[in-house]
Amino acid sequence: MKLILKITTFILAVCALCGCIEDGFTSSPSDQPAFSVDTLAIGDVFTGELTPTRRFVVHNRHSKALSISDISLAGDDAPYFHLNVDGISGKTFSNVEIRPNDSIFVFVEARLPETDALRTDFGADLNFSTNSRVSTVRITASGINAVRLNAREFTADTRLEQEKPYIVYDSLVVAPGVMLSLAPGTRLCFHDKASLIVRGTLVSEGTPDRQVIMAGDRTGNVVGDISFDIMSRQWSGVFFAETSKDNRLANTVIRNTVDGVTLIGDTLADYSQQPQLYLLNCRLQNSGGLVLSAYHSAVTAHGSEFSDASQGLVYLQGGRHDFAQCTFSNNYLFTAVGGPAIQFAHISADPKTGLDDGSGLPYIAAEFSNSIVYGLGTDISHGDLAGTSVFFRSCLLKSKGSDDDNFIACIWDKDPLFRTVRLDYFFDYRLKEGSPAIGAANPELVPADCATDGYGIPRGSAPDLGAYVYTQSEQ
């Protein structure tokens, strides 16, 4: 027993000695921490609001422990940044220890002050004092000043034309008989669950070089190179009520929605002369449901893109519709695609496939021309359109099929070769070299209003199918 006790005491003494050696701190000025970044860029953020949290790693690559005697921010903008070092929040930190060949995390966030400028850059130096030397990581953020709209109802004609973006909380409502106009370059950034409800008229005046943007209010990247721009379900979407009429959107992007754009038609209206919604060179993108749903209403869409949604892209129940020079493509990332790209209901009296909703209203009358329908999932809900008033003329379709009275001069079962690379989170529905859609459009079916595409490029005498003109410089 005494021998065992002596051996145990010896082992404990050796362990204690080794522990002291292992935990000894280096005092050499050449032994300094290493950082995973030289500059931590928080990115573009709205002023007055707490930014997303960014982080970096501080490494001790030495065989002895490091004691960082002081960690603190320096510079005029230092008060706007907030730190968490190794799990502890604060402004300054003393005697922070990093064990040999170990590391700690530093988390940074900011709340930037509002200024009169559209954009103001902020920065501070995060200094680490170790063994009589100072190492620095630069912290930067660019503050975007915005106009805030909270549960705003427009009861008189209004034009939004601020250079600054608008952040929308709760909802924007356009009252019946009232027009809301959006000047070129207007940007509406919707907070979580916010929506745009149009009971009157919405006119969006975007141009190729100054698009109108309606999107979520999250800036920067979700993680790595994945931008919030491709994330759906950030805000509710745009809703056109039955009292809404004469809505005209040009060069307008609507993305990141839960339900996309929804139209409820006025069942007493005659849409033969005037559509309820007119889209010219627009992009409806990234929806958790569909990007466009129209119920007994009228949509005219020329030169527009409908892309990337969980439940399919476009749903048309009754109504009168005209889609020309459009691109329908679904490469949605976050769930399996739950429906065809283009879906029809109340299409005919056929009890098996007509999906008559019992409204007694006219069945769908729809024309699709010089368009592309391609992507994940099936392309069209009704492969047989015989006996309906739905026609596809000079379109490229994913399906294997053949022309008939409803499909005229179509290209079947061909990849249009979009520039999109889904696995790289890159979504661009312009055409690549060798696309069968190049020069395949019928010039007689090109509407006069979209003689140029959303990039301002003329379609010319041998137009391409889809929303965008192929140019070799795009490769």
Side-chain angles (χ1 to χ4, degrees):
M1 181 64 72
K2 290 182 180 180
L3 178 61
I4 293 174
L5 181 61
K6 288 181 179 179
I7 293 173
T8 302
T9 301
F10 175 76
I11 292 172
L12 290 174
V14 170
C15 289
L17 180 61
C18 292
C20 291
I21 294 173
E22 181 181 321
D23 290 340
F25 291 94
T26 176
S27 59
S28 171
S30 63
D31 290 344
Q32 295 293 314
F35 307 99
S36 59
V37 296
D38 296 321
T39 299
L40 183 70
I42 294 178
D44 294 342
V45 294
F46 290 113
T47 59
E49 300 189 8
L50 194 63
T51 70
T53 300
R54 299 287 185 258
R55 73 176 188 181
F56 65 95
V57 183
V58 184
H59 298 278
N60 174 13
R61 304 197 187 282
H62 308 290
S63 58
K64 290 187 176 183
L66 277 180
S67 177
I68 303 176
S69 57
D70 178 78
I71 301 175
S72 58
L73 285 162
D76 293 341
D77 298 334
Y80 309 133
F81 296 92
H82 312 286
L83 304 176
N84 183 297
V85 176
D86 200 24
I88 300 174
S89 298
K91 287 289 188 181
T92 61
F93 304 83
S94 300
N95 302 319
V96 176
E97 300 178 6
I98 309 179
R99 294 176 63 82
N101 299 305
D102 204 349
S103 59
I104 62 172
F105 286 107
V106 175
F107 297 88
V108 183
E109 60 186 14
R111 191 183 298 273
L112 306 178
E114 296 184 25
T115 67
D116 293 332
L118 174 61
R119 181 188 297 269
T120 304
D121 294 329
F122 296 86
D125 290 330
L126 183 53
N127 295 323
F128 296 77
S129 297
T130 311
N131 298 334
S132 302
R133 291 187 178 178
V134 177
S135 303
T136 300
V137 172
R138 181 68 176 170
I139 312 294
T140 65
S142 184
I144 303 171
N145 294 286
V147 178
R148 287 166 172 79
L149 301 174
N150 194 346
R152 177 72 61 87
E153 181 174 9
F154 299 101
T155 56
D157 290 356
T158 303
R159 182 177 174 83
L160 299 182
E161 53 186 347
Q162 284 275 355
E163 185 180 15
K164 297 178 181 179
Y166 295 84
I167 302 179
V168 179
Y169 300 92
D170 188 82
S171 62
L172 292 183
V173 178
V174 184
V178 171
M179 178 182 293
L180 174 63
S181 301
L182 306 178
T186 300
R187 183 179 175 190
L188 299 178
C189 304
F190 292 83
H191 197 61
D192 182 35
K193 298 181 177 63
S195 60
L196 172 58
I197 301 170
V198 184
R199 298 191 173 101
T201 298
L202 177 66
V203 175
S204 179
E205 304 170 358
T207 63
D209 57 345
R210 299 193 68 198
Q211 293 180 320
V212 171
I213 306 292
M214 302 184 204
D217 66 349
R218 306 291 296 273
T219 60
N221 293 337
V222 183
V223 63
D225 295 329
I226 304 176
S227 169
F228 273 109
D229 285 350
I230 68 171
M231 300 293 292
S232 66
R233 300 184 180 276
Q234 294 186 45
W235 60 289
S236 294
V238 183
F239 178 85
F240 293 94
E242 62 274 10
T243 55
S244 177
K245 61 181 182 179
D246 299 341
N247 300 287
R248 304 185 302 278
L249 280 61
N251 293 283
T252 298
V253 178
I254 302 175
R255 64 176 180 239
N256 315 132
T257 59
V258 173
D259 292 317
V261 174
T262 302
L263 294 93
I264 304 296
D266 180 353
T267 57
L268 300 178
D270 178 8
Y271 292 122
S272 62
Q273 300 298 321
Q274 178 63 50
Q276 185 181 5
L277 176 62
Y278 168 67
L279 303 171
L280 175 62
N281 293 343
C282 292
R283 298 179 189 176
L284 277 57
Q285 307 169 304
N286 305 325
S287 173
L290 297 119
V291 295
L292 175 65
S293 302
Y295 300 85
H296 296 290
S297 52
V299 177
T300 293
H302 293 166
S304 294
E305 172 191 318
F306 303 87
S307 61
D308 306 328
S310 174
Q311 299 303 311
L313 299 176
V314 173
Y315 176 86
L316 305 175
Q317 182 172 326
R320 180 180 295 273
H321 312 285
D322 174 29
F323 294 85
Q325 296 294 157
C326 289
T327 293
F328 303 83
S329 188
N330 204 349
N331 285 281
Y332 190 72
L333 273 172
F334 308 107
T335 63
V337 173
I342 302 174
Q343 303 168 29
F344 302 116
H346 199 69
I347 188 172
S348 74
D350 189 318
K352 293 183 178 180
T353 61
L355 301 176
D356 189 317
D357 60 16
S359 64
L361 296 171
Y363 296 114
I364 288 175
E367 293 272 350
F368 296 82
S369 57
N370 284 353
S371 296
I372 299 173
V373 190
Y374 194 89
L376 299 177
T378 55
D379 46 6
I380 303 170
S381 61
H382 290 63
D384 184 0
L385 296 174
T388 74
S389 296
V390 177
F391 300 93
F392 286 80
R393 305 179 193 276
S394 298
C395 292
L396 184 152
L397 304 168
K398 179 183 179 181
S399 295
K400 295 180 179 179
S402 59
D403 288 352
D404 57 25
D405 290 341
N406 295 85
F407 295 92
I408 300 100
C410 289
I411 298 174
W412 298 89
D413 189 25
K414 294 291 185 181
D415 187 338
L417 299 180
F418 295 128
R419 298 181 68 199
T420 292
V421 183
R422 182 172 180 265
L423 295 180
D424 290 342
Y425 312 109
F426 179 72
F427 300 90
D428 185 336
Y429 291 104
R430 289 175 286 182
L431 304 173
K432 294 193 296 187
E433 184 177 359
S435 168
I438 296 173
N442 183 341
E444 296 180 359
L445 299 179
V446 178
D449 58 356
C450 68
T452 59
D453 71 1
Y455 292 91
I457 302 172
R459 297 192 186 275
S461 58
D464 307 326
L465 296 177
Y468 307 114
V469 175
Y470 166 74
T471 58
Q472 194 168 10
S473 61
E474 303 295 347
Q475 300 302 303

